[in-house]
Amino acid sequence: MSSSKLNPRESGSYIVENAKHVRILPAGIEKLTQEIVKGLIEKRIAVENFSQHELHPNPNPNQPEDYSKAADWVFVLDTLNFCFWTPDNYTKYKVDGYTGYFALCAAIKRAIKEGVDVINPKFYSQIDLKTLENIFRSDDGKTVIPLLQKRLESLHEVGKVLIDKYEGSFENVIKKAEKSAVRLLDLVVEEFPCFRDEAEFAGKRVSILKRAQILVGDVWSCYKGHGLGYFNDIDQITMFADYRIPQVLVHFGSLEYTSELMEFLKTDTILENGDPREVEIRGASIYIIEQVRDAVVKILKEQHPEISLDNVNSIVIDQYLWDYRRRHNADLEHIPFHKVLSIYY
C-alpha cells in the first residue's frame, strides 16, 4: 500500500483519533473480549464455520478442478457482496427464503445448479443485464436485487482483468500474492477498481477495504487456512466494516454515538459514501475489533496455551459478530444503523 494511504488498521486508529461523532468505551471492549474468548474456548468460533454453510463452496483437495473453482466462486460472491437492502424494506429481497448476503449466495448456487457458467469470467465479463437479472430473480418475482446495473459493471470490470492478465482464473491472483494476505489485498485493490473502498478523512487518505478484505478472509476460510488458503500474515487482515457490526458494538457498549449522531441515524436518512459520520462509524469498528483481537490473543497466551493462535484473528471475530447480529436481531433492532447505497458494502 502506498505510503500516502493508511492501511485499514492504521486508518482505524487515525479515524478514532480524529472522530467527532463516535466514542470508544474500554469497558465495552473488555466485555466483547470476554465474549470472544468464551466462544473460542467453546469452539463456537472456528475457521470451519465458513465452508460448513450449505451455500458456500466447499473445495475438495482430491478434485483439482473443483478445488481451484472454489476460488473463482468466492471471487464472484465478493465482487457482488454489497447492498442487499432497499430504503423502504431491509429484507424484501429474498432468494430461496434467504435474505441479505445469503440471498446472493443462494442465487449463485442456483445458477450453478441450472448449468449457468456464472463463475467463469469468460461468461460474466460479457453478461447482459437481462441474464443477470434472471440469475438474481427473487422469491416474489417482483423485487429486483438493488444496484443491478452496478453489479453488471463490476462483473464486466473484474472479468476482463482476469482474462487479460490472469488467464481467466482468480487462483492465479492468489498465487501471485505468494502466501501473503497483505500482498493479495494490495493486488485486489490495484487490479480491480470496484474493490477500492477508500475515503478522504481529516486530511488523509484512509482505506476501509471491506470487500477486498472479506475476499482475502473468505479465501482463507473457504480453504480452512491450507493450500490456496494459507497465508503467513493472515493476522494483518482487519474486520470488514459494514453497517450491521456497529449495531453489535453499540449493544456491547464498546461503541457510543453522540446524541446528535444517534438522533440523525434514527431519521433513516441515507448518507453519501465518504460522509465523515459514515467513515467514523466504520473506522471505529475496525479499531475496536483490532483492540479486541489483541486482548484476546494476550488472554489466550497467558491463560489458555492449549488453544492454537493460528486461527485467532479479526476475520473469525467478524464472522462471529455478524452471525451474532443475525441470531439476536430482535434484541438489536432498536439500535439504528447508518445507511449508504454503495458498491463497497
Side-chain angles (χ1 to χ4, degrees):
M1 215 160 271
S2 66
S3 54
S4 61
K5 185 167 65 184
L6 301 176
N7 70 29
R9 185 172 173 125
E10 294 162 346
S11 297
S13 296
Y14 181 73
I15 291 164
V16 165
E17 277 163 33
N18 293 278
K20 295 182 173 69
H21 308 93
V22 302
R23 278 190 289 272
I24 308 298
L25 305 175
I29 289 179
E30 169 62 22
K31 195 177 163 192
L32 205 45
T33 299
Q34 294 304 329
E35 172 79 19
I36 300 301
V37 168
K38 195 164 171 282
L40 286 161
I41 292 168
E42 294 169 4
K43 297 190 167 49
R44 285 179 291 118
I45 300 177
V47 64
E48 288 74 26
N49 293 356
F50 179 90
S51 20
Q52 280 171 4
H53 197 286
E54 60 183 356
L55 296 176
H56 279 149
N58 194 354
N60 182 348
N62 302 319
Q63 294 177 308
E65 192 189 338
D66 170 55
Y67 187 74
S68 60
K69 200 185 271 183
D72 285 315
W73 186 338
V74 166
F75 182 60
V76 167
L77 287 178
D78 285 327
T79 296
L80 299 167
N81 184 358
F82 57 83
C83 194
F84 302 107
W85 55 276
T86 49
D88 58 338
N89 187 329
Y90 304 122
T91 55
K92 196 177 179 192
Y93 178 68
K94 287 191 176 79
V95 177
D96 294 344
Y98 291 97
T99 62
Y101 163 72
F102 285 126
L104 163 76
C105 296
I108 295 296
K109 189 153 191 175
R110 176 179 64 192
I112 291 169
K113 269 191 185 147
E114 289 170 353
V116 181
D117 206 5
V118 67
I119 61 174
N120 181 348
K122 288 192 181 70
F123 173 79
Y124 65 72
S125 64
Q126 298 179 353
I127 193 170
D128 61 49
L129 198 63
K130 202 166 167 17
T131 308
L132 192 62
E133 192 171 354
N134 184 53
I135 287 169
F136 287 121
R137 66 193 181 275
S138 61
D139 290 352
D140 68 12
K142 292 193 294 284
T143 307
V144 177
I145 190 169
L147 303 184
L148 184 67
Q149 180 63 35
K150 296 277 188 209
R151 293 176 200 280
L152 185 78
E153 290 162 15
S154 297
L155 285 171
H156 287 175
E157 173 192 290
V158 302
K160 194 171 178 334
V161 174
L162 280 187
I163 291 165
D164 292 350
K165 296 178 77 171
Y166 292 97
E167 294 169 26
S169 168
F170 186 64
E171 181 184 9
N172 292 329
V173 184
I174 299 170
K175 286 179 171 168
K176 191 177 177 182
E178 298 179 319
K179 304 193 187 334
S180 164
V182 172
R183 180 76 192 109
L184 181 55
L185 182 65
D186 287 348
L187 268 174
V188 168
V189 176
E190 280 163 26
E191 296 284 29
F192 310 107
C194 69
F195 282 89
R196 279 178 211 154
D197 177 10
E198 299 164 357
E200 293 295 331
F201 182 81
K204 288 205 174 173
R205 189 86 183 148
V206 293
S207 52
I208 310 282
L209 306 183
K210 188 256 182 174
R211 279 180 33 241
Q213 293 206 102
I214 213 169
L215 172 57
V216 177
D218 283 354
V219 169
W220 174 76
S221 304
C222 181
Y223 291 98
K224 302 183 181 69
H226 301 294
L228 268 184
Y230 172 76
F231 300 103
N232 53 32
D233 55 356
I234 195 67
D235 60 332
Q236 297 299 302
I237 299 298
T238 74
M239 64 80 75
F240 321 126
D242 66 356
Y243 51 90
R244 284 304 203 172
I245 298 272
Q247 282 182 297
V248 184
L249 303 183
V250 170
H251 171 72
F252 274 92
S254 57
L255 176 64
E256 186 177 65
Y257 301 145
T258 60
S259 52
E260 295 84 10
L261 178 56
M262 193 56 124
E263 288 313 307
F264 173 79
L265 293 177
K266 284 177 181 169
T267 65
D268 259 1
T269 308
I270 294 180
L271 285 165
E272 285 296 313
N273 182 228
D275 184 291
R277 292 165 292 189
E278 175 214 22
V279 176
E280 286 186 23
I281 293 170
R282 299 181 79 205
S285 301
I286 292 175
Y287 177 83
I288 290 167
I289 301 304
E290 290 300 288
Q291 296 294 306
V292 168
R293 197 272 316 263
D294 293 350
V296 166
V297 167
K298 190 169 183 286
I299 289 170
L300 293 180
K301 275 181 179 167
E302 289 168 4
Q303 298 171 25
H304 297 280
E306 74 283 0
I307 294 179
S308 161
L309 296 176
D310 290 354
N311 295 335
V312 178
N313 53 43
S314 297
I315 299 167
V316 292
I317 294 172
D318 181 289
Q319 289 169 347
Y320 175 75
L321 295 179
W322 192 80
D323 286 337
Y324 183 98
R325 204 283 310 168
R326 283 179 88 100
R327 282 200 319 275
H328 298 271
N329 188 40
D331 302 335
L332 274 71
E333 214 38 42
H334 71 281
I335 302 167
F337 56 92
H338 70 284
K339 299 170 184 73
V340 178
L341 284 166
S342 161
I343 67 165
Y344 296 121
Y345 61 108

